[in-house]
Amino acid sequence: MSELDTIEKEALGAVAAAADLASLDAVRVAELGKKGRISGLMKTLGGMSPEERQTMGPALNGLRNRVQDAVEARKAALEEAELEKKLQTERIDMTLPPRVTPSGRLHPVMQVFEEVASIFGDMGFTVAEGPDIEDDWHNFTALNFPEGHPARETHDTFFFNPQQGAAPKVLRTHTSPVQVRVMESTKPPIRILVPGRVYRNDWDATHTPMFHQVEGLVIEKNIHMGHLKGCLIDFVKEFFEVADVEARFRPHFFPFTEPSAEMDVKYRKVGDAIEIGEGDSWMEILGSGMVHPNVLANCGIDPTEYQGFAFGMGIDRLAMLKYGMPDLRPYFEADAGWTRHYGFRPWLSPSVSGGLS
């Protein structure tokens, strides 16, 4: 029994002296492992007489349990000390700002709106907006659309049910009504850019019932066609980010301008991509003209004193040409994958000096 007391004292002392988990495990193996000292004494019970086993059995089991408990207690203490050390040395500074994970994309239509506004903003244009639901005066009559014009028919325009005694309202077919509203309420000089949604009864790969348009209007004294051409050529060069562009202004007809012209630019196709500015083919890119004297008079501006020019283009089509999107319909399908592919980081604001795209 005195030997057991000595073994216990030595074993508990070794456990208490273990400085780390590796040292503690070495003590456990030396005392309680298969070939350990206490395990060896347990094996001697089989060769003892019944009277000796009755005395030594409880004594050896008690010794083994006390050493096992001491090992477990020491292990818990060492693990706690190690964790505390890590907490002190590996502390996280919670005052640091988190890393920002970019999320979301700016739709190509909005990106192109921003690019167009940036270019014309440098030319002195300001943005004007108006309602999507218009009356006959602002959408047709003030803009010199005669009675019976195809645009006034239901196959081209979305009409609302008329109120009693009044002409039916329409979803605006262009943003030109905003030009009328500005001319009615503002004295020249006027230089505005009018972006927004417009609606026409059409649907295919390059047309949708709702699309986006931007129009420009300049009303001043002594404005002529040369100003219009210079303004639009400069815009196309800036927008498509090319050094030069070959353009032509082809005579056309619009009720609200006279003379009227469609602007064509040279382009070439390289694979599936279109390069604007040079090539052997012509592409119509926008409509334009000098504001019709009847429109000026309808809006309360003297056409003998003031002249002006106007232009209009489809934002969706500009985006298709510049960024290589083959079909207009996915613009409006709320496809997150499509937006991630074609979209833009919203904080990269385009500017003429800093870069558009």
Side-chain angles (χ1 to χ4, degrees):
M1 296 297 291
S2 60
E3 182 182 358
L4 295 184
D5 292 339
T6 301
I7 291 172
E8 181 175 356
K9 185 177 180 180
E10 292 174 353
L12 294 179
V15 169
D20 53 46
L21 292 173
S23 301
L24 179 63
D25 194 59
V27 174
R28 181 191 65 78
V29 171
E31 299 294 344
L32 301 173
K34 283 187 177 183
K35 297 181 180 180
R37 182 164 55 167
I38 296 175
S39 298
L41 292 175
M42 295 291 293
K43 292 176 183 179
T44 63
L45 288 173
M48 295 181 185
S49 63
E51 291 80 9
E52 289 176 322
R53 281 200 299 272
Q54 190 174 6
T55 302
M56 294 299 294
L60 287 173
N61 282 326
L63 171 61
R64 182 183 61 186
N65 291 340
R66 288 190 293 275
V67 173
Q68 181 68 47
D69 291 344
V71 168
E72 294 296 332
R74 182 60 178 163
K75 181 181 179 182
L78 289 172
E79 287 176 343
E80 185 176 353
E82 186 175 344
L83 176 61
E84 186 65 27
K85 183 179 178 182
K86 285 183 177 181
L87 291 175
Q88 293 298 323
T89 58
E90 300 177 11
R91 182 176 298 172
I92 297 175
D93 185 355
M94 300 301 290
T95 63
L96 290 174
R99 289 187 179 90
V100 177
T101 302
S103 61
R105 285 291 186 272
L106 192 66
H107 196 282
V109 168
M110 299 310 300
Q111 170 73 14
V112 172
F113 265 143
E114 295 292 341
E115 293 179 23
V116 172
S118 176
I119 294 169
F120 284 108
D122 274 15
M123 299 182 189
F125 286 73
T126 58
V127 173
E129 295 180 310
D132 287 16
I133 299 174
E134 277 292 0
D135 54 38
D136 181 87
W137 168 258
H138 289 96
N139 199 77
F140 295 123
T141 305
L143 292 165
N144 206 38
F145 281 87
E147 292 292 335
H149 191 280
R152 292 176 176 264
E153 302 298 327
T154 56
H155 59 76
D156 279 342
T157 302
F158 293 105
F159 286 88
F160 288 86
N161 292 326
Q163 301 293 322
Q164 187 172 5
K169 291 187 178 294
V170 301
L171 287 175
R172 65 183 183 187
T173 57
H174 41 196
T175 55
S176 302
V178 180
Q179 298 183 36
V180 174
R181 292 177 181 276
V182 171
M183 286 189 284
E184 288 176 332
S185 61
T186 307
K187 280 189 170 184
I190 296 169
R191 193 174 295 193
I192 58 170
L193 190 71
V194 188
R197 292 181 297 268
V198 296
Y199 309 86
R200 294 179 191 173
N201 194 2
D202 213 348
W203 178 252
D204 58 37
T206 57
H207 299 84
T208 56
M210 183 198 80
F211 58 100
H212 300 85
Q213 191 178 62
V214 62
E215 296 183 7
L217 173 70
V218 174
I219 304 292
E220 296 179 20
K221 294 180 179 179
N222 304 316
I223 288 291
H224 54 73
M225 196 74 178
H227 295 130
L228 166 65
K229 293 170 69 175
C231 174
L232 294 180
I233 289 172
D234 285 348
F235 162 73
V236 172
K237 288 193 294 186
E238 291 288 352
F239 179 76
F240 289 103
E241 302 176 65
V242 294
D244 198 12
V245 63
E246 188 174 349
R248 70 183 182 187
F249 287 80
R250 180 170 34 82
H252 196 69
F253 171 76
F254 300 111
F256 34 80
T257 52
E258 179 62 37
S260 304
E262 287 190 332
M263 181 183 182
D264 300 334
V265 295
K266 279 285 186 75
Y267 78 97
R268 64 184 175 193
K269 198 165 184 179
V270 181
D272 293 331
I274 291 177
E275 294 184 357
I276 301 291
E278 56 185 29
D280 299 323
S281 302
W282 290 100
M283 176 187 295
E284 180 268 321
I285 201 138
L286 55 85
S288 63
M290 302 300 295
V291 179
H292 199 292
N294 290 348
V295 175
L296 294 174
N298 288 339
C299 297
I301 295 175
D302 185 355
T304 65
E305 183 178 2
Y306 290 99
Q307 299 81 43
F309 65 79
F311 57 86
M313 63 195 90
I315 288 293
D316 314 280
R317 185 160 175 265
L318 287 179
M320 292 174 72
L321 292 174
K322 183 171 183 178
Y323 294 114
M325 291 164 280
D327 194 328
L328 188 62
R329 288 168 290 192
Y331 279 44
F332 310 101
E333 291 176 354
D335 184 343
W338 185 91
T339 307
R340 281 193 296 270
H341 178 75
Y342 287 110
F344 295 82
R345 294 182 180 178
W347 52 85
L348 297 179
S349 299
S351 68
V352 174
S353 59
L356 295 179
S357 58

